[in-house]
């Protein structure tokens, strides 16, 4: 029997799954009715972003499993690589 993550990875070729990564920072800010979460992980310079309807307790210092895909975001005419998180769970 396949796990949910395995099914997602088979269906979407650009998805990446990481297990047991340590979160260095976690910020939350409200954007209209959503809360934008931005995290950075150990060993990676690109920010990881996801939106939820409410705030969560801080994930800073925690280990998590994440499923995400790379994306490019343009800010003030400059392109930045970000990772869009589609699934995140505590390790």
């Amino acid at each position: 029997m396949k796990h949910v993550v395995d099914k997602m990875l088979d269906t979407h070729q650009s998805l990446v799954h990481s297990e047991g990564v340590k979160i260095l920072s976690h910020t939350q800010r409200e954007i209209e009715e959503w809360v934008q979460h931005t995290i950075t992980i150990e060993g990676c310079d690109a920010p990881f972003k996801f939106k939820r309807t409410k705030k969560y307790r801080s994930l800073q210092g925690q280990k998590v499993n994440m499923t995400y895909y790379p994306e490019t975001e343009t800010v003030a005419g400059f392109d930045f690589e970000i990772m869009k998180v589609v699934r995140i769970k505590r390790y």
Side-chain angles (χ1 to χ4, degrees):
M1 176 185 247
K2 285 190 171 187
H3 288 93
V4 173
V5 174
D6 294 330
K7 289 179 185 177
M8 290 171 61
L9 293 173
D10 289 342
T11 306
H12 305 282
Q13 298 300 317
S14 61
L15 276 179
V16 179
H17 181 71
S18 298
E19 291 192 11
V21 293
K22 185 175 181 183
I23 295 182
L24 298 177
S25 70
H26 178 205
T27 59
Q28 305 177 54
R29 60 188 161 103
E30 293 183 19
I31 300 176
E32 297 173 5
E33 68 272 358
W34 293 94
V35 177
Q36 173 77 47
H37 297 262
T38 305
I39 59 175
T40 57
I41 64 168
E42 198 170 63
C44 184
D45 293 334
F48 291 74
K49 293 185 174 185
F50 60 97
K51 290 182 182 178
R52 297 292 183 258
T53 56
K54 61 181 180 177
K55 286 190 172 185
Y56 290 134
R57 62 182 167 181
S58 179
L59 294 172
Q60 189 168 349
Q62 301 290 316
K63 287 190 174 187
V64 296
N65 295 340
M66 288 192 302
T67 306
Y68 55 91
Y69 58 93
E71 199 173 75
T72 304
E73 186 176 89
T74 303
V75 178
F78 294 99
D79 290 335
F80 292 97
E81 181 183 33
I82 65 163
M83 303 297 169
K84 184 162 176 108
V85 177
V86 293
R87 186 172 190 264
I88 187 167
K89 294 232 178 218
R90 289 186 192 270
Y91 186 65

